[in-house]
Amino acid sequence: MKKTIVLLVASLFFTLAVPAQAGVVLGGTRVIYKDNVKESSIRVSNSDDSPMLVQSWIETTQGTNDKSPFIITPPLFKLNGNQENILRIIKLQNTLPQDRESLFWLNVKGIPSTENDNKNKLIIAIKNQIKLIYRPKALLEGSSIEASKKLKWQREGNIVKATNDSPYYINFNYVKVNGIELEMTTINTLPPYSSHRYNLPAVSAKNNITGMVLSWQAINDYGGVETVNNVNL
């Protein structure tokens, strides 16, 4: 889950105080929209004592919301302190591929309330962004976890190539070589029917170690981690 801080109002002189763990909290790190249901939902709560304005929207992985076949309701509402509400996600069109999963971003932004006292203030809105994955009916019998166990790994010099031959998105918790974690800054989600190349750890690449052991751990539909898988390179 990504969190982004947005500065809404600023002045030359202000005092900034951000309470720990305050603001909008989502009831999950991802939403799996299964095509055999009319809608999916996620809980949103306000952990602060003051009311907040909550804004929600769905966008594509390219950052646009004009091509999303989903709507979210309510898109804008007031959420009192220490209260919660339910966001409902509804698919309007059936134009998505039916032979593989599709990925979107669900964004929820909390805008704190302010007192009308004419004082200079800095208002901070925190945006939560989580994955929304559409799963067609034809794929409901399988799972991304079973697919993650069948990933193909191939060493190419100082590179290791991961290939996903399944119709599911594979979400990594980590990938390690001989206990050293690979940098996943470029991609930690492997799309269906795709491959990606990762740089080997500097120590392994420099020493050209043979017989390396690669291990990976995938994240399931509920945001939990699964058992570790291993393969010899």
Side-chain angles (χ1 to χ4, degrees), residues 12-33:
L12 292 177
F13 304 98
F14 58 83
T15 300
L16 175 61
V18 180
Q21 298 181 344
V24 171
V25 178
L26 299 181
T29 60
R30 65 207 63 233
V31 175
I32 308 297
Y33 192 106

mmCIF file of all heavy atoms in Angstrom, residues 12-33:
data_model
loop_
_atom_site.group_PDB
_atom_site.id
_atom_site.type_symbol
_atom_site.label_atom_id
_atom_site.label_comp_id
_atom_site.label_asym_id
_atom_site.label_seq_id
_atom_site.Cartn_x
_atom_site.Cartn_y
_atom_site.Cartn_z
ATOM 1 N N LEU A 12 3.240 31.498 4.782
ATOM 2 C CA LEU A 12 4.639 31.759 5.080
ATOM 3 C C LEU A 12 5.008 31.339 6.490
ATOM 4 O O LEU A 12 6.129 30.919 6.751
ATOM 5 C CB LEU A 12 4.936 33.254 4.883
ATOM 6 C CG LEU A 12 4.864 33.748 3.437
ATOM 7 C CD1 LEU A 12 5.115 35.246 3.394
ATOM 8 C CD2 LEU A 12 5.877 33.021 2.569
ATOM 9 N N PHE A 13 4.090 31.469 7.413
ATOM 10 C CA PHE A 13 4.361 31.128 8.803
ATOM 11 C C PHE A 13 3.310 30.134 9.275
ATOM 12 O O PHE A 13 2.116 30.407 9.215
ATOM 13 C CB PHE A 13 4.318 32.385 9.689
ATOM 14 C CG PHE A 13 5.267 33.456 9.233
ATOM 15 C CD1 PHE A 13 4.816 34.506 8.457
ATOM 16 C CD2 PHE A 13 6.614 33.383 9.561
ATOM 17 C CE1 PHE A 13 5.695 35.486 8.022
ATOM 18 C CE2 PHE A 13 7.488 34.364 9.132
ATOM 19 C CZ PHE A 13 7.032 35.418 8.353
ATOM 20 N N PHE A 14 3.765 28.979 9.723
ATOM 21 C CA PHE A 14 2.816 27.979 10.185
ATOM 22 C C PHE A 14 3.504 27.050 11.170
ATOM 23 O O PHE A 14 4.722 26.964 11.237
ATOM 24 C CB PHE A 14 2.228 27.167 9.025
ATOM 25 C CG PHE A 14 3.264 26.455 8.200
ATOM 26 C CD1 PHE A 14 3.770 25.220 8.592
ATOM 27 C CD2 PHE A 14 3.744 27.033 7.026
ATOM 28 C CE1 PHE A 14 4.716 24.571 7.830
ATOM 29 C CE2 PHE A 14 4.700 26.377 6.277
ATOM 30 C CZ PHE A 14 5.186 25.151 6.669
ATOM 31 N N THR A 15 2.690 26.345 11.927
ATOM 32 C CA THR A 15 3.179 25.311 12.833
ATOM 33 C C THR A 15 2.609 23.988 12.377
ATOM 34 O O THR A 15 1.403 23.861 12.177
ATOM 35 C CB THR A 15 2.736 25.592 14.281
ATOM 36 O OG1 THR A 15 3.260 26.854 14.674
ATOM 37 C CG2 THR A 15 3.257 24.508 15.213
ATOM 38 N N LEU A 16 3.467 22.997 12.202
ATOM 39 C CA LEU A 16 3.045 21.703 11.683
ATOM 40 C C LEU A 16 3.154 20.654 12.775
ATOM 41 O O LEU A 16 4.206 20.472 13.368
ATOM 42 C CB LEU A 16 3.922 21.298 10.487
ATOM 43 C CG LEU A 16 3.689 19.905 9.899
ATOM 44 C CD1 LEU A 16 2.266 19.796 9.383
ATOM 45 C CD2 LEU A 16 4.689 19.621 8.794
ATOM 46 N N ALA A 17 2.044 19.964 13.016
ATOM 47 C CA ALA A 17 2.046 18.863 13.985
ATOM 48 C C ALA A 17 1.200 17.745 13.416
ATOM 49 O O ALA A 17 0.018 17.921 13.155
ATOM 50 C CB ALA A 17 1.480 19.318 15.325
ATOM 51 N N VAL A 18 1.799 16.586 13.193
ATOM 52 C CA VAL A 18 1.082 15.441 12.630
ATOM 53 C C VAL A 18 1.012 14.346 13.680
ATOM 54 O O VAL A 18 2.033 13.777 14.059
ATOM 55 C CB VAL A 18 1.796 14.910 11.365
ATOM 56 C CG1 VAL A 18 1.032 13.734 10.799
ATOM 57 C CG2 VAL A 18 1.933 16.013 10.329
ATOM 58 N N PRO A 19 -0.170 14.032 14.217
ATOM 59 C CA PRO A 19 -0.281 12.980 15.223
ATOM 60 C C PRO A 19 0.044 11.618 14.635
ATOM 61 O O PRO A 19 -0.257 11.343 13.482
ATOM 62 C CB PRO A 19 -1.749 13.061 15.658
ATOM 63 C CG PRO A 19 -2.454 13.742 14.532
ATOM 64 C CD PRO A 19 -1.461 14.657 13.890
ATOM 65 N N ALA A 20 0.656 10.765 15.420
ATOM 66 C CA ALA A 20 1.047 9.441 14.941
ATOM 67 C C ALA A 20 -0.186 8.592 14.668
ATOM 68 O O ALA A 20 -1.126 8.558 15.456
ATOM 69 C CB ALA A 20 1.935 8.757 15.979
ATOM 70 N N GLN A 21 -0.180 7.909 13.515
ATOM 71 C CA GLN A 21 -1.217 6.965 13.132
ATOM 72 C C GLN A 21 -2.609 7.598 13.089
ATOM 73 O O GLN A 21 -3.611 6.932 13.329
ATOM 74 C CB GLN A 21 -1.217 5.765 14.088
ATOM 75 C CG GLN A 21 0.089 4.985 14.061
ATOM 76 C CD GLN A 21 0.068 3.796 14.975
ATOM 77 O OE1 GLN A 21 -0.783 3.680 15.854
ATOM 78 N NE2 GLN A 21 1.006 2.884 14.792
ATOM 79 N N ALA A 22 -2.660 8.892 12.799
ATOM 80 C CA ALA A 22 -3.956 9.553 12.701
ATOM 81 C C ALA A 22 -4.365 9.654 11.247
ATOM 82 O O ALA A 22 -3.527 9.753 10.359
ATOM 83 C CB ALA A 22 -3.886 10.943 13.332
ATOM 84 N N GLY A 23 -5.666 9.644 11.003
ATOM 85 C CA GLY A 23 -6.159 9.827 9.652
ATOM 86 C C GLY A 23 -6.973 8.653 9.166
ATOM 87 O O GLY A 23 -7.466 7.834 9.939
ATOM 88 N N VAL A 24 -7.107 8.581 7.840
ATOM 89 C CA VAL A 24 -7.918 7.544 7.211
ATOM 90 C C VAL A 24 -7.158 6.221 7.174
ATOM 91 O O VAL A 24 -6.003 6.173 6.758
ATOM 92 C CB VAL A 24 -8.314 7.980 5.789
ATOM 93 C CG1 VAL A 24 -8.954 6.835 5.038
ATOM 94 C CG2 VAL A 24 -9.270 9.162 5.855
ATOM 95 N N VAL A 25 -7.820 5.165 7.606
ATOM 96 C CA VAL A 25 -7.221 3.829 7.627
ATOM 97 C C VAL A 25 -8.118 2.886 6.834
ATOM 98 O O VAL A 25 -9.334 2.849 7.041
ATOM 99 C CB VAL A 25 -7.063 3.310 9.070
ATOM 100 C CG1 VAL A 25 -6.474 1.901 9.066
ATOM 101 C CG2 VAL A 25 -6.188 4.251 9.885
ATOM 102 N N LEU A 26 -7.516 2.126 5.920
ATOM 103 C CA LEU A 26 -8.272 1.168 5.114
ATOM 104 C C LEU A 26 -8.258 -0.209 5.762
ATOM 105 O O LEU A 26 -7.301 -0.590 6.429
ATOM 106 C CB LEU A 26 -7.684 1.086 3.704
ATOM 107 C CG LEU A 26 -7.699 2.384 2.893
ATOM 108 C CD1 LEU A 26 -7.109 2.155 1.510
ATOM 109 C CD2 LEU A 26 -9.102 2.941 2.784
ATOM 110 N N GLY A 27 -9.313 -0.964 5.510
ATOM 111 C CA GLY A 27 -9.453 -2.288 6.109
ATOM 112 C C GLY A 27 -8.785 -3.391 5.321
ATOM 113 O O GLY A 27 -9.165 -4.563 5.454
ATOM 114 N N GLY A 28 -7.804 -3.071 4.501
ATOM 115 C CA GLY A 28 -7.086 -4.072 3.723
ATOM 116 C C GLY A 28 -6.010 -3.418 2.893
ATOM 117 O O GLY A 28 -5.998 -2.196 2.707
ATOM 118 N N THR A 29 -5.087 -4.239 2.382
ATOM 119 C CA THR A 29 -4.000 -3.721 1.553
ATOM 120 C C THR A 29 -4.251 -3.947 0.071
ATOM 121 O O THR A 29 -3.436 -3.549 -0.765
ATOM 122 C CB THR A 29 -2.670 -4.389 1.931
ATOM 123 O OG1 THR A 29 -2.786 -5.811 1.738
ATOM 124 C CG2 THR A 29 -2.323 -4.105 3.385
ATOM 125 N N ARG A 30 -5.375 -4.589 -0.265
ATOM 126 C CA ARG A 30 -5.742 -4.835 -1.659
ATOM 127 C C ARG A 30 -7.200 -5.275 -1.713
ATOM 128 O O ARG A 30 -7.774 -5.714 -0.707
ATOM 129 C CB ARG A 30 -4.841 -5.905 -2.285
ATOM 130 C CG ARG A 30 -4.994 -7.276 -1.658
ATOM 131 C CD ARG A 30 -3.720 -8.075 -1.814
ATOM 132 N NE ARG A 30 -2.631 -7.421 -1.107
ATOM 133 C CZ ARG A 30 -1.453 -7.118 -1.672
ATOM 134 N NH1 ARG A 30 -1.217 -7.425 -2.930
ATOM 135 N NH2 ARG A 30 -0.507 -6.520 -0.976
ATOM 136 N N VAL A 31 -7.793 -5.135 -2.885
ATOM 137 C CA VAL A 31 -9.158 -5.612 -3.108
ATOM 138 C C VAL A 31 -9.137 -6.535 -4.321
ATOM 139 O O VAL A 31 -8.635 -6.155 -5.387
ATOM 140 C CB VAL A 31 -10.143 -4.452 -3.352
ATOM 141 C CG1 VAL A 31 -11.523 -4.997 -3.714
ATOM 142 C CG2 VAL A 31 -10.238 -3.557 -2.125
ATOM 143 N N ILE A 32 -9.652 -7.750 -4.156
ATOM 144 C CA ILE A 32 -9.790 -8.686 -5.268
ATOM 145 C C ILE A 32 -11.256 -8.677 -5.691
ATOM 146 O O ILE A 32 -12.127 -9.117 -4.943
ATOM 147 C CB ILE A 32 -9.359 -10.113 -4.880
ATOM 148 C CG1 ILE A 32 -7.961 -10.103 -4.250
ATOM 149 C CG2 ILE A 32 -9.403 -11.024 -6.098
ATOM 150 C CD1 ILE A 32 -6.859 -9.632 -5.170
ATOM 151 N N TYR A 33 -11.518 -8.145 -6.875
ATOM 152 C CA TYR A 33 -12.893 -8.079 -7.376
ATOM 153 C C TYR A 33 -13.166 -9.341 -8.191
ATOM 154 O O TYR A 33 -12.695 -9.485 -9.320
ATOM 155 C CB TYR A 33 -13.093 -6.832 -8.238
ATOM 156 C CG TYR A 33 -14.545 -6.535 -8.556
ATOM 157 C CD1 TYR A 33 -15.210 -5.494 -7.930
ATOM 158 C CD2 TYR A 33 -15.252 -7.297 -9.487
ATOM 159 C CE1 TYR A 33 -16.537 -5.215 -8.214
ATOM 160 C CE2 TYR A 33 -16.574 -7.037 -9.776
ATOM 161 C CZ TYR A 33 -17.215 -5.991 -9.133
ATOM 162 O OH TYR A 33 -18.532 -5.727 -9.411
#
